[in-house]
Structure formats: C-alpha cells, structure tokens
RNA sequence: GAGCGGUUAGCUCAGUUGGUUAGAGCGUCGCGUUGACAUCGCGAAGGCCGUAGGUUCGAGUCCUAUACCGCUCACCA
C-alpha cells in the first residue's frame, strides 16, 4: 500500500468498476422479470445541467449532496434510482453558439434557422459528453442508462402533450400583453428572468402644457424621458386641489404636440414627485393597467431592438438612450424642462445578457397560473411535500399566492417549437400533438407553425415524470413516480421546484416528490459571490486534480447545512485531503496488524476486553446512533463532522495508540484487538462512504481482502459484502447497549494522561525520558491499577516505578505536581525541582481549582439542586468532590514545599 | 415596503430535543521524526457567543425589541 492515499490512481477505475458491476442501477427494476412492486424505491431526478455548460461548484454541490443521499439509501437496502440528464437551456445555449459563430463572422440570420439549429445540435453533441464526464468525476452514482435530455424525442413529446392539453383546458392563451422585452436577445423573457439592480439614475421634471393655450402646465417627473413619446394621458389624484381643475382637459405631448387627456385616478400618489403622473400604457406595467382602466390609447414607440419607431416622429430610428438625451435637450430648448435630479432607482436587467429590459406590449403565449398554483400550495400546506429547511415554505407560499401568468413563448430558435399552427386562409389556430399540414376547419394547406419556441423551464418543469416516460404509462413511471427527493439550490425554488409541483399535480395528479432539500450557494472563502471579474472563482476540476474528489465532496458536504450558503476555500479542501490521507494511513496500519496477527480460534475462555476496547466500541455505538439521527433529520454536515471527529480524535489519536500496546501483549489480546480495529474501521468506512466514496471503497476492499485471508473471525456479523457501495448501512443499536462506565472511566484516564503530558511539555521533559510517578487516585484504584500500563506508555512513565495510592500522608520530595479529574499526580524528574517555581505552579493550579469549588458550591446551594434532574445534579456533585480532593492534595503539597524553606 | 438569514477565537465556520468549564479547521507559539500518517504527533495561547430585556433552577440554544451585514420578493412616476 502506498504511504499516502493516491486518489488519482483509484478514482477512475473504481467509478468504472461500480458502473460495470451495475451498482448504480436500482436492484429492483420494473423492467426485469424478478421485479417486486412491494419495495418502495428512493428516487431523485437530477437538476439537469446546461448541456453546453462547464462544471462549476454549484454542480459539485448538488452532485455531492444527491450522491450522498443516494448512496446512503442504497446502503440501507432500498431500491435506489438517480435519473441523470441535461437541459437544452434555450437562451444560454443559443447565445454560446451565436457567439462562436460570430467569431467566424457568421450570424444566425445568415445561416438560417435550419442550419443554425443543426449547428447547435453539433455543439450539444460535443459538449454534452464533457459535462457528463465531469459529473461522473464527482462520483455520481446515477443510472446512466436512464439518462435524458430535455429535447429528446420522448421529452419533446411530453412538452407537446402538455402544451396542447393546457390549451384545450383553456389555460394556455395567446395575446398582446405587457412583457419583459430583451432588446439584445430580441425575445420576451419571464418575470423571473429579470433582475433589478440599484443604480444611480435621474428624475427629470418637465412641463405638460395645457392644450388650450392658456400657458398653464402640469409639472410631471419621469426617469425615462423617451417614453414621453408614448404618453397617452396625464393622471392626477381626483382629490388633488392643485390639479383638479385640469381633469378632463387636454395637454400637449412635448415636441410631438399630440393632445392627450388629463385623467383622475387614485393610483397617483400626491406626495410623490410633482403629484402628477404621465401615463405610457405601452411601456410601463402600471401605466398599462391604468390605460386599460381608462380606455387610453396604447402607443408602442419602440422596435424590437429598442430603437424608436415611426411613432417617435423625428426621433424615429434613434437608440432608446440617444433619444432620451436628444429629446430632453430639445425640450430644454423649448422651455419645457423644469429640472433634473439624481435619483436612485432599481433598473430591470436581463438575467442572461445584462442589458436593460424594456416593458413592451407584445403578442405572446401565456399560461394561466392560478389554477395550477392552488393545488401546489395545498400540497405543501397539508404536508404531502415537506421543504427543508422549513423556512422556505413561507417563501414558496408567498410566491404562489401572488403568482402571475407565465409568458412561455420565446423568440428564439433553439428549443421546443410551439405546437401551434395558424391557418393563413381562415385564421384558425390549431394546437396539435401531431404536426399539422392542413387546416382542419377550412382544409387549406396554407398552415404555418408558430415560429417561436417555449421557455426552457417549460420542459424542465416536467422533468420528474417526463424522464420516466410520461405521458406513456411506462413501468418506470409506475414504479419510480412520484420520486422521493428534490434536492437543489434555493435560488431556483420558483423557477423550477414550484413549477414542477404545479405540473406534477396537474398532469399526473400526484406531487412529483415528497421531500425538498434546498442547499445554499457556494461562495468564496470570505463569503463573496464567485465571479470571473472578481477572479475568485474556484474551479472544481482543478481542485479535484490537485486534492482529490473525496476531499472536495467532503468539504462541500460537511461545510454546508440546509438552506445556508457555504464559504469554500482551497485550505478547507486541503484539510479534508489530509483527512482522506489519515483514513488511508489508519487503514494501512490496521491492515498491517491483520497481516501480522496470530489467529486465535474460539477457545472456552471468554475474551477479557480492555477498558479501551469497551470504550471505543461504546463510543462507536453512540456515533452510529447520532449519525443515523442526524441523517434522518437531513443534518448531513453535522453527521460528517461527527464521524470525522470520532475517527481522527478518538479512534486514530487514542485507540490506535492503545492498540499498539495491546498488539504487543499475549496472542489472544492481540487478536481481539485486531478484531476491534477491523470492526471499527469497517463501520467508519460504511458511515463515511456517502461522503467520500472513493477512498472508503478502495480501503474497504483492502481491509476485506486482508481480513478474509486471515480469518472468518474478522468478518462483520453478516459477512463481507461484494462492495462497500452496496454494503449494509450501520443502523443504530439499542441505546441500552452503551457502556457508559467505560466512557466515563476512559475520560478520566485521558484527562490524567493529558495532565502529565502537559507538565512534561511545560518542563521540557523529552519524550524519550521515562520517569517514575506517584498517582493519588482516591476511589479509582481499580481503574488505575488496570490501566497503569496504558497510562505509563502514553504518558511516558516508568510503569514499574509508578506507585498508586488511594490516599497519601506524606508527599514525595522533589516532584512536579499536577491534577486532573480528582487524581493528583507527582512526577519525579531526574533534575532537581525548584521549590519556588513549583510553588508558583501549584498556587496557580490551586487558584483555578478553588474557583471551580466556589462555583460548584454556589451552584449546588442554589435552587438548581432541587429543581434540576437528579442525574444532572449528581454529575455536578461528583465534580465538586473531585475538585475538593484535588484541592486537599495540592495544598498538602504546597505545605510540604513550604516546610522545605 | 414585506419576508428571511447571519452576527460565536486572528480568519472561515460547527454547535436542532435548553443541562451549567462553548468546539473544529486554518493561522500563531513551543516541542517532537528508527515503521500507520510531517498530508503527521504532543502541548499552548486565543471567545463576557452583536446589544438590551424576558422566560427558566439553568440560555450560544427559547421569546421580545434593537443595531449592523446579507439575501429574496414587490416596487411610486
């Protein structure tokens, strides 16, 4: 075995081996002859990554998390399925391909729709394999035979089915509405795809001149002067004394001199700005509503790329922002400008391209959401679906309660083409599952399919069931649906999770999953969002190359808790690489011990377990119980930390060191020690496998081989399974089986050993020099008699020269004194002990002991003694006794030193 | 404007049935290397757990208020 864990040498082969052995596939498969429908499966659908994307830490996070969940349930013996796949990501993918083409000087328009889509498919083929390989590198135990892509034939079929059904049910409608328009991408986007950023803007105050030539004007303010061109009214509050007299009159649109009415509406806030509001129904969502209410004209002033159209008169053809400046300058010239003030505003920007979104009226397909949202609200409210952490339930409810209709059409080429045909002769609109070649109403063959495609999320919202074959009632769908767990980032709770619930309930009548676990965002080591411009991006591929997959996984899993962001630094990953190495070396030691030990078959004498044996096994049982409890409450990070702490801090630091002593004793003790080493390591590897699958599988295989070669007596209760990935998960045993006294005794012993080491370090006594000691152990004589050898070895004492006393009358001369857990320790050094120095040390020690005594006496004299549970009070009483006896011994020693003077 | 989260050691964070001496990793300081591991070991220093109240025998943990930081949603021109 190599001296350090060589992850690069094992990861790839192990992954392939797992797959070849079929471990990633559910052992109970509805497509197989021996299928048993009575086993309830555990199912996760992967959040499909963008097919042309590159692996980032967000992917690493969810893959680690979901793989942990899957491996855990698989080890519990549950038929487990993790369905992988990728998303076509309409806008993102189209942008990437367009950018690449533009480098060759080709635009998508030049190429034409057909050719362009071919190009995108070429990209898809090329990059799909890359992202999938990267996900495999993380150890993802997905069933790759069931991999899906949102534009697969089957999933496309599902999309059409859904669209048509919604159309038939009257939920899908088409019409001109106010949408968020992206002038750069030249498509509508949904509300969720708009991000508002706080930016410094200007508030422009100007005059709306009365049309009657009176010279009166209404002062109005706007942040977007160019929209003046589309104004069709000025609104004032009906009770505003300043402007009441103008209501019903007309005013003149600056420069254009179009007459528009002054209207009264309670929507206007008299306190804000000038108290008068210009109304641009075609370019502002609020104005849109007012426009509808008052029957105002809707004047669209923008083209698709946000230049001013012919409605803008002399400004036609100008860019929206150029127009803003020019128009304002012209107004200034005409004396219509009052003032301009800096004004902080939140600017809507495209999530994808970053440019400013224009609210515009456009004919699009919309989905009525209210009827879908209500059942989705109910499903969470009645507990059919639970969200972890629970607080996101509120966020979920809030969004669904205020849901807006979903604009699902996109003016793109890459995606699912809208399955609607328009008859050019009779204007019939045909939504169809099959391609339409002639109008069913008039028989005309002049039918044209809607040129637009559907929002990407319109396919991914079907993911949990479309990937299992829906709308066909496939065996997979029947058995694996509804799925179990939806694990993803909280940032797509609305985008994806809520929509999946809505579609699942509507189309299958069942919630698509019963549990939602939301993880946080991965940030840099100081909590800053990672971005290329900041240069703080950590590339998971490089991290895996340098430190190993397990180290990265363990860092992400242990560093995170549900719903909270995680700050990741390479230092943390390094620390966990070290942990993997620690595992490896502990394993190496144990395997070596197995090889060397002499097998002692069952004889009649029952094995006498040492304190350490009992202690480590009791602690392991506690650990298993805790880990199970934590797993069941989704506290994976805490579970991982506890295993880490146990393995390193107790098993490796203490038991392994003690085992070295026990291995040197009689053959029977040695063999039993090897049995315990083997079994504790085996259990730890099982517990850790969901976190760090590679190092644990690799090590476990070697452990198993060594143990099997040596003796059946080293096997786990149910024997060695074929692989760790499918090995039995350690279930919590009866709590009554705990050996509490072994744990308590071991604590005392450890405390004493630490106290001795402490003094030795303080006095710079080299580890090599073994020294005699005297221990005053009060009622712990049996314990210390039995553990003296171990203590001497770990604290570098001369065992044969070390004396134990229950009480002591005359303290030894020329010694160093220490105390721990009520035990007083006298160390005899080779050198002369300076009594002055020693007195100071003891006085200091006495001081802390005295403060503890005071604290405990006060506590035990308080209502605590009556009101707290007996067990808790007794524990404190015992402590007080310990401190008291320590105090007595130390002050005796102090008096002794004083006598020397 | 509404909602949510955070505030614990120099840094990054654990601490989920409240139990009386608050933990880890990294960093710092000291000592240590003939076989599990220097990707290591043994020790040390370092915190009035944001602030103010409350509940309780007991609060980092529960409640109320408040400050600061962050996030989400909705947005008044």
């Amino acid at each position: 075995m190599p001296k350090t864990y060589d992850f690069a040498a094992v990861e790839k082969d192990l992954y392939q081996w797992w797959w070849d052995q079929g471990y990633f596939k559910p052992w109970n498969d509805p497509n197989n002859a021996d299928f048993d429908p009575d086993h309830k499966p555990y199912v996760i659908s992967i959040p499909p990554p963008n097919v042309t994307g590159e692996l980032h830490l967000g992917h690493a996070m969810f893959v680690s998390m979901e793989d942990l969940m899957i491996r855990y349930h698989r080890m519990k013996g549950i038929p487990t399925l993790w369905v992988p796949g990728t998303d076509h990501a309409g806008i993102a993918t189209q942008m990437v391909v367009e950018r690449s083409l533009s480098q060759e000087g080709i635009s998508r328009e030049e190429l034409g729709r057909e050719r362009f889509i071919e190009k995108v498919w070429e990209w898809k083929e090329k990059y799909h394999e890359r992202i999938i390989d990267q996900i495999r590198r993380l150890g993802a135990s997905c069933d790759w035979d069931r991999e899906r892509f949102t534009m697969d034939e089957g999933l496309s079929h599902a999309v059409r089915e859904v669209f048509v059904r919604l159309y038939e049910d009257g939920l899908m409608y088409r019409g001109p509405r106010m949408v968020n328009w992206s002038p750069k991408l030249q498509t509508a986007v949904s509300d969720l795809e708009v991000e508002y950023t706080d930016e410094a803007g200007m508030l422009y105050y100007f005059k709306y001149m009365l049309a009657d030539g009176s010279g009166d004007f209404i002062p109005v303010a706007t942040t977007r002067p160019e929209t003046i061109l589309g104004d069709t009214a000025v609104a004032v509050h009906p009770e505003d004394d300043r402007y009441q007299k103008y209501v019903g009159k007309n005013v003149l649109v600056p420069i254009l001199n179009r007459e528009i009415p002054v209207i009264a509406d309670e929507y206007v806030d008299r306190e804000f700005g000038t108290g008068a509001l210009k109304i641009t129904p075609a370019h502002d969502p609020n104005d849109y509503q007012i426009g509808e209410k008052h029957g105002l004209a809707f004047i669209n002033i923008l083209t698709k790329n946000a230049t001013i159209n012919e409605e803008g008169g002399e400004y036609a053809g100008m860019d929206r922002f150029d127009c803003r400046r020019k128009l304002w300058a012209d107004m200034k010239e005409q004396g219509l400008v009052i003032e301009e003030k800096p004004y902080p505003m939140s600017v809507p920007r495209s999530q994808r391209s970053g440019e400013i979104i224009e609210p515009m009226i456009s004919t699009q397909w919309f989905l009525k959401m209210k009827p879908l949202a209500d059942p989705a609200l109910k499903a969470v409210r009645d507990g059919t679906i639970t969200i972890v952490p629970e607080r996101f339930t509120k966020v979920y409810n809030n969004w669904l309660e205020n849901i807006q209709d979903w604009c699902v059409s996109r003016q793109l080429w890459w995606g699912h083409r809208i399955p609607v045909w328009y008859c050019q002769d009779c204007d019939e609109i045909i939504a169809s599952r099959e391609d339409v070649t002639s109008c069913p109403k008039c028989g005309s063959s002049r039918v044209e399919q809607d040129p637009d495609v559907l929002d990407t999320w319109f396919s991914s919202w079907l993911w949990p069931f479309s990937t299992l074959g829906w709308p066909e009632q496939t065996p997979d769908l029947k058995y694996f649906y509804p799925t179990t767990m939806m694990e993803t980032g909280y940032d797509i709770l609305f985008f994806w999770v809520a929509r999946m619930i809505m579609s699942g309930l509507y189309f299958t009548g069942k919630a698509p999953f019963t549990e939602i676990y939301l993880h946080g965002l991965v940030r840099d080591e100081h909590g800053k969002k990672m971005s290329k411009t900041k240069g703080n991006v950590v590339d998971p591929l490089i991290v895996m190359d340098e430190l190993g997959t397990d180290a990265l996984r363990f860092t992400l899993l242990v560093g995170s808790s549900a719903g909270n962001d995680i700050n990741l630094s390479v230092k943390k990953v390094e620390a966990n690489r070290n942990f993997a190495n620690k595992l490896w070396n502990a394993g190496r030691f144990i395997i070596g011990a197995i090889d060397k030990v002499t097998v002692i078959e069952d004889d009649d004498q029952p094995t006498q377990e040492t304190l350490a044996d009992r202690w480590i096994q009791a602690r392991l049982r506690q650990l298993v119980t805790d880990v199970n409890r934590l797993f069941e409450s989704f506290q994976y990070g805490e579970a991982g930390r506890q295993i880490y702490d146990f393995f390193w801090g107790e098993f490796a630091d203490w038991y392994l060191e003690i085992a070295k002593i026990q291995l040197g004793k009689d053959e029977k003790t040695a063999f039993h020690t090897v049995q315990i080493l083997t079994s504790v390591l085996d259990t730890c590897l099982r517990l850790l496998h969901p976190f760090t699958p590679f190092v644990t599988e690799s090590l476990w295989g070697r452990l198993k081989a060594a143990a099997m070669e040596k003796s059946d007596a080293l096997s786990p209760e149910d024997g060695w399974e074929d692989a760790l990935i499918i090995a039995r998960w350690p279930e919590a045993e009866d709590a009554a089986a705990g050996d509490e006294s072994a744990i308590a005794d071991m604590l005392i012993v450890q405390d004493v050993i630490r106290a001795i080491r402490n003094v030795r370090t303080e006095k710079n006594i080299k580890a090599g020099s073994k020294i005699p000691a005297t221990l005053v152990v009060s009622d712990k004589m049996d314990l210390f008699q039995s553990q003296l050898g171990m203590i001497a070895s770990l604290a570098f004492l001369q065992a044969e020269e070390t004396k134990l006393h229950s009480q002591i009358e005359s303290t030894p001369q020329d010694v160093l004194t220490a105390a721990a857990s009520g035990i007083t320790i006298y160390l005899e050094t080779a050198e002369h002990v300076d009594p002055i120095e020693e007195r100071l040390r003891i006085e200091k020690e006495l001081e802390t002991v005295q403060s503890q005594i005071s604290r405990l006496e006060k506590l035990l004299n308080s209502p605590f003694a009556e009101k707290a549970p007996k067990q808790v009070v007794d524990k404190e009483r015992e402590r007080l006794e310990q401190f008291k006896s320590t105090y007595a011994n130390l002050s005796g020693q102090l008096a002794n030193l004083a006598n020397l003077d």
Side-chain angles (χ1 to χ4, degrees), chain A residues 844-894:
Chain A
K844 211 173 131 201
E845 188 109 357
L846 268 176
E847 215 174 295
T848 60
V849 172
Q850 179 54 50
S851 75
Q852 291 299 330
I853 291 174
S854 314
R855 183 182 66 81
L856 286 167
E857 279 179 340
K858 202 173 138 203
L859 179 67
L860 289 163
N861 281 323
S862 73
F864 169 79
E866 289 98 61
K867 300 219 175 180
K870 188 172 178 301
Q871 218 185 334
V872 177
V873 179
D874 285 350
K875 204 168 110 198
E876 298 308 316
R877 277 196 214 289
E878 195 180 329
R879 267 189 200 159
L880 178 60
E881 289 315 307
Q882 288 183 356
F883 282 120
K884 277 183 169 168
S885 89
T886 301
Y887 189 86
N889 285 325
L890 288 179
S891 49
Q893 182 65 6
L894 197 61

Side-chain angles (χ1 to χ4, degrees), chain A residues 359-373:
Chain A
M360 265 167 73
I361 292 175
S362 165
T363 299
Q364 303 285 345
W365 283 96
F366 294 89
L367 178 56
K368 231 176 252 173
M369 296 304 277
K370 195 87 178 69
L372 296 170

